[in-house]
Amino acid sequence: MQTKRVPASDEVADWNAKYLWHPMVDPNVVREHAPLIIERGEGCFISDIDGNRYLDCTAGLWNVNVGHRRPEVIAAILEQLNAIEYYGTFANMANVPSIRLSKRLIDMLAPEKMRRVMFSSGGSDSTETAFKLARQYWKLSGKPEKTKMFSLKLGYHGVHFGGMSASGNTMWRRAYEPLMPGFFQIEAPYLYRNPWTDDPEQLATIVAEQLDRDIQYQGADTVAAFIAEPVQGVGGVIVPPASLWKKFREVCDRHDVLLISDEIVTGFGRTGAMFGARGWGVAPDVMCLAKGINSGYIPLGATVVNERVANAWDKPQALTGIMHGYTYSGHPVACAAALACLDIVEDEDLPGNAGRVGAHFLRRLEELRVYDCVGDVRGKGLMLGVELVRDKKTKAPFAPADAYPAKLYEAMLAQKVMVRVAAGKVILSPPLVFTEAYVDEAMAALHSAFQSVKPAT
Ligand SMILES: Cc1ncc(COP(=O)(O)O)c(C=O)c1O
């Protein structure tokens, strides 16, 4: 995605090209276009190795919610490192920060009646854990045939085999097929692009009915769970109609299927509610957490299950052993960082700030509709997207090889504003400590970029 820039030293660029494979990109592209090498951060700003300072409108990968280099979080990490750097949570081992964090999460998730936490090293681990616990739950509940998983097209649930098989985008799967058997997708609630309707409520009914029909088609007695993001993130910031999650809950209840909320991006305030599903008025059975749990200061994931699910493990039987977990499940430094981050999230009401500043951002993004290449703008809280189109009338997207989106990204960087451009969308997901003044700064750069960069004719 990046184009040519002068690296701080030829040697660094050379080593990068020779030795480092970057995720989610063709290595040949990276060889041609040196990446931006970030060296420092402070609040809502980041700096590269050449000393250029950028307004961070991505919060890393929508994870640095409390902002960069917060002294409170660094102090908590150092305090834990000075006590012990690592001891895990396998079997009958434990450490204090992971126990404290599990209690903190269960308290925060009291409205959802969550009861147990399993830690891991990140988002992909967290969804994988959810799929395995869902299958185990049904075996413990005397319904061993309930193993299949449903998800949404354009959903993203990480890169492990389960998560990849649940993810609904061909681009992420083709090189690694065959996928896991038993994973099925229904249409995304994509208001801007769907063959049926412009009416959100009608779309909610259509999508929920498809889930209902396809579960019946597979046989409800074979379906373990349905997983979805409360707002689909990297698939294009697809905000579902307001009633859809309640409809999902009803369909899952009707067919005795677990509802898994992938809160890896939406958890801890990004959509304006503390959790995305809570914002839709729905209590899931399982929640996948990562990213905002400790703002990315140290890798950490968590899978949380409600009373109904946890109760299946209460009486020992043949398969109650949880033969799953990672060396870094409950890493004490990651958990200590999380406790400090969650203090900030609650004390500074970051969900409230995300709601207020996000509403201002969305209002201002509407201004971009005057430009020919802007097909749609949408968002919830500080999760926002601008959909680029080659032709507004037909909604034709840019071809994957078209240079326009990358040029737009370059124009933003030239104005010292970092955004993410992926799959023909400009994605904006700043730290949740963002302000309206920063929004206005980002908007000035967006206006200038859309005015100066034109697609090839
Ligand atoms: C909704 C969602 N689920 C899962 C993941 C995977 O998380 P990780 O990259 O930490 O493995 C991501 C990552 O962006 C995500 O956005």
Side-chain angles (χ1 to χ4, degrees):
M1 183 53 61
Q2 338 273 359
T3 57
K4 217 178 196 101
R5 75 189 68 262
V6 184
S9 89
D10 289 349
E11 207 174 32
V12 172
D14 185 43
W15 290 349
N16 178 66
K18 271 195 194 139
Y19 305 126
L20 186 61
W21 267 354
H22 294 251
M24 298 292 178
V25 68
D26 182 337
N28 299 295
V29 172
V30 178
R31 203 168 43 233
E32 292 300 312
H33 306 293
L36 189 66
I37 302 172
I38 300 298
E39 198 173 41
R40 296 188 71 77
E42 183 83 54
C44 293
F45 289 87
I46 48 173
S47 310
D48 67 17
I49 52 172
D50 297 329
N52 296 304
R53 190 166 179 260
Y54 305 86
L55 177 63
D56 184 3
C57 290
T58 72
L61 282 173
W62 23 39
N63 56 339
V64 189
N65 291 358
V66 300
H68 300 282
R69 214 150 60 86
R70 295 285 302 242
E72 310 90 312
V73 186
I74 294 169
I77 289 170
L78 290 177
E79 193 183 327
Q80 181 55 41
L81 281 173
N82 279 319
I84 187 165
E85 70 301 312
Y86 170 77
Y87 228 80
T89 57
F90 268 42
N92 55 358
M93 274 191 278
N95 64 60
V96 175
S98 66
I99 297 168
R100 284 185 56 207
L101 182 58
S102 62
K103 159 90 167 78
R104 178 81 178 259
L105 291 173
I106 294 302
D107 287 348
M108 285 180 86
L109 289 161
E112 284 79 16
K113 294 194 170 56
M114 291 290 153
R115 217 191 106 189
R116 291 281 190 174
V117 183
M118 253 206 117
F119 288 116
S120 57
S121 315
S124 300
D125 293 346
S126 150
T127 53
E128 208 70 8
T129 302
F131 297 135
K132 289 175 80 172
L133 291 180
R135 285 188 172 174
Q136 189 170 10
Y137 165 77
W138 287 115
K139 289 190 170 69
L140 295 176
S141 306
K143 297 182 177 174
E145 289 190 1
K146 281 175 87 68
T147 60
K148 293 176 186 167
M149 306 291 166
F150 271 91
S151 58
L152 295 175
K153 286 185 185 167
L154 296 174
Y156 182 65
H157 303 293
V159 293
H160 298 339
F161 265 93
M164 178 179 66
S165 304
S167 293
N169 191 321
T170 317
M171 179 174 75
W172 301 319
R173 313 150 47 132
R174 278 300 288 275
Y176 311 106
E177 288 177 343
L179 305 175
M180 292 268 292
F183 281 70
F184 304 91
Q185 276 105 37
I186 60 161
E187 293 298 329
Y190 198 170
L191 197 59
Y192 181 64
R193 288 183 193 280
N194 74 79
W196 304 293
T197 179
D198 290 334
D199 175 49
E201 286 315 305
Q202 207 178 358
L203 182 63
T205 303
I206 290 168
V207 172
E209 280 178 0
Q210 197 196 341
L211 180 62
D212 188 285
R213 250 194 336 271
D214 282 19
I215 288 174
Q216 291 189 62
Y217 175 70
Q218 289 299 327
D221 58 329
T222 68
V223 179
F226 168 63
I227 185 170
E229 300 151 86
V231 174
Q232 291 181 274
V234 70
V237 189
I238 298 171
V239 184
S243 66
L244 182 59
W245 267 70
K246 285 206 170 126
K247 290 185 164 59
F248 282 158
R249 182 72 268 184
E250 284 161 19
V251 173
C252 288
D253 288 345
R254 196 173 312 131
H255 297 297
D256 210 11
V257 164
L258 298 178
L259 175 59
I260 305 174
S261 184
D262 181 340
E263 299 268 357
I264 287 160
V265 171
T266 54
F268 307 103
R270 184 155 289 283
T271 64
M274 187 60 86
F275 297 96
R278 189 181 291 175
W280 296 128
V282 167
D285 299 297
V286 180
M287 294 167 84
C288 300
L289 307 170
K291 296 195 189 267
I293 193 171
N294 69 5
S295 283
Y297 279 66
I298 312 268
L300 180 66
T303 308
V304 191
V305 303
N306 69 3
E307 266 175 0
R308 169 199 177 173
V309 175
N311 288 348
W313 273 264
D314 279 353
K315 254 198 282 124
Q317 44 171 305
L319 290 179
T320 31
I322 300 176
M323 296 297 118
H324 176 75
Y326 306 86
T327 298
Y328 300 123
S329 291
H331 193 292
V333 185
C335 292
L339 288 163
C341 282
L342 297 184
D343 283 346
I344 296 172
V345 170
E346 290 187 325
D347 294 350
E348 298 182 7
D349 184 24
L350 295 193
N353 193 59
R356 280 186 300 276
V357 177
H360 175 67
F361 214 157
L362 187 57
R363 259 194 314 272
R364 292 234 39 210
L365 285 177
E366 289 288 337
E367 296 165 14
L368 301 180
R369 289 188 190 269
V370 296
Y371 300 112
D372 287 344
C373 294
V374 174
D376 192 27
V377 300
R378 49 186 182 257
K380 191 161 176 59
L382 282 172
M383 213 176 156
L384 303 131
V386 179
E387 180 149 349
L388 306 173
V389 286
R390 167 158 278 292
D391 182 326
K392 229 175 178 139
K393 275 208 195 84
T394 64
K395 302 186 182 177
F398 284 95
D402 198 302
Y404 176 74
K407 284 194 180 146
L408 207 59
Y409 169 79
E410 284 300 321
M412 292 300 288
L413 275 193
Q415 298 174 85
K416 304 290 180 282
V417 176
M418 168 67 101
V419 298
R420 187 171 178 199
V421 178
K425 283 113 196 153
V426 181
I427 295 179
L428 301 150
S429 59
L432 305 190
V433 290
F434 222 56
T435 63
E436 295 194 1
Y438 291 151
V439 169
D440 296 341
E441 228 176 278
M443 284 306 303
L446 282 163
H447 274 297
S448 161
F450 278 107
Q451 280 159 16
S452 60
V453 181
K454 299 287 169 207
T457 44

